[in-house]
Amino acid sequence: MRRAGTAVWRQPLAVPYLVGSLLLVLAPLGLAVVLAFTDYFGFRAPEFTGLGNVSRLVDDRAFWDSVGISAVVAAVVVPFRLLLAVGAALLLARRRGAMMTAGRASVYLPSVIPDAAWALLWLWILNPLYGPLPALLGALGVPDPGFLTTPWGARLALVLVMTFQVGEAFTVALAARIAIPARLHEAIELEGGSGWFAMTRVTLPLMAPIVIVLAVRDVVVVVQNAFVPALLVTGGGPVNATLTAPLLIYRRAFEYGELGYASTLSVTLLVLTGIAAALPLWIAARLAARQRTR
C-alpha cells in the first residue's frame, strides 16, 4: 500500500515533462506534417497541394544525395563514437583515484562545449593555411588530406568534429560497466582467465544491450547534429560534398523560403532516421530470440 501511494504521489512530477514534450516536440511535429501537404512561403496562408510535394520529393536528386551523405557520415562516425565511449568506460571504470576523475572529466568535457563553439574551434584546427593539424601532418610528412578543400577531406573533417563529443554515451557506458558485479571478474581471475577473456566473454556481452541502445541513439544524434559543423565548418562544400540533409532542409526553408516543401523533407528525414534507428533494435531482438531457443 505504501509503494502504491508513493507511485500515485510521484505521478504529478511527470506533468511538466509531458507538457514540455507536447509543446516542444509533438505540436511542432504535427504542424510540420500539416505543412508538408501545402505550398507555404511564410507571406500568405498555406495552400493545400495534396501529394504535390511528395511527387516533387521523389525526383529531388539533391535531397537524396544529401541523405546519402548523411548516411555515409553516420556510418563512419557512429562506430568511432561507440568505440571511444565504450573504450573510455572500460579504461576508467575504477571507482577511486584522482587520475580516474580527471580522465572522466576530459572525456566528458567536449560535450559541455556548445556545438557552435566546438565547430568554430575545429574550423581553426583544420584551416589549411594556419591550422595546427595540417601543419602537424605536413611536419610528419603525411600527405595533406585536403581538409575543407577536397570532397572526401571535408567529409573527414565532419567525422573529426563529431567523433569526440561522446560525454553522454560515455556516462551511460561507464554506469553499465560499473554495474557488472565484481565477483564475476574475481571468479575468472581465480580460474586463471586472462583479462582479454574476461572482457570478451563477460564484460562486453553484459554491456551489449546498452551498447545497442547507444548505437540507436547515436544514429539519431549524428544525423541531426551534423547540421552545425556542415554549416559552420564546411558550408556544405566543396561541391556539395558535405551538404547533409539537415543543412539542405535549412536552406530550403530559410534561404529559399519553401517552408511547405521543407516540412515535407523534414518529415521524410524523420521517417528515414526512425527506420535506420529501429534496424539495430530489430537485429538485437532477433539475436536474443535465437539465443533463447538454443
Side-chain angles (χ1 to χ4, degrees), residues 177 180-206:
R177 172 60 185 88
I180 298 176
R183 64 178 182 272
L184 297 178
H185 295 88
E186 293 173 357
I188 294 175
E189 186 176 354
L190 290 175
E191 294 294 333
S194 63
W196 177 258
F197 178 87
M199 183 179 67
T200 57
R201 298 298 180 90
V202 176
T203 305
L204 292 180
L206 290 177

Side-chain angles (χ1 to χ4, degrees), residues 17 37 44 125 136 140 188 203 227 294:
Y17 172 79
F37 298 97
R44 51 181 171 79
I125 293 174
L136 177 61
L140 296 176
I188 294 175
T203 305
F227 168 75
R294 289 180 179 178

Side-chain angles (χ1 to χ4, degrees), residues 78 134 251:
V78 170
R251 290 181 175 177

Side-chain angles (χ1 to χ4, degrees), residues 36 53 248-250 252-254 258-267:
N53 287 338
L248 175 68
I249 294 172
Y250 167 82
R252 292 287 190 185
F254 300 106
E258 298 177 322
L259 298 177
Y261 184 58
S263 297
T264 305
L265 301 182
S266 297
V267 174

Side-chain angles (χ1 to χ4, degrees), residues 41-64:
F41 295 91
F43 300 103
R44 51 181 171 79
E47 296 181 3
F48 181 74
T49 58
L51 298 178
N53 287 338
V54 178
S55 300
R56 179 182 174 186
L57 169 66
V58 173
D59 297 326
D60 191 346
R61 182 176 179 180
F63 173 71
W64 295 113

Side-chain angles (χ1 to χ4, degrees), residues 273-287:
T273 305
I275 294 174
L279 183 60
L281 293 178
W282 179 80
I283 295 175
R286 296 282 295 181
L287 292 175

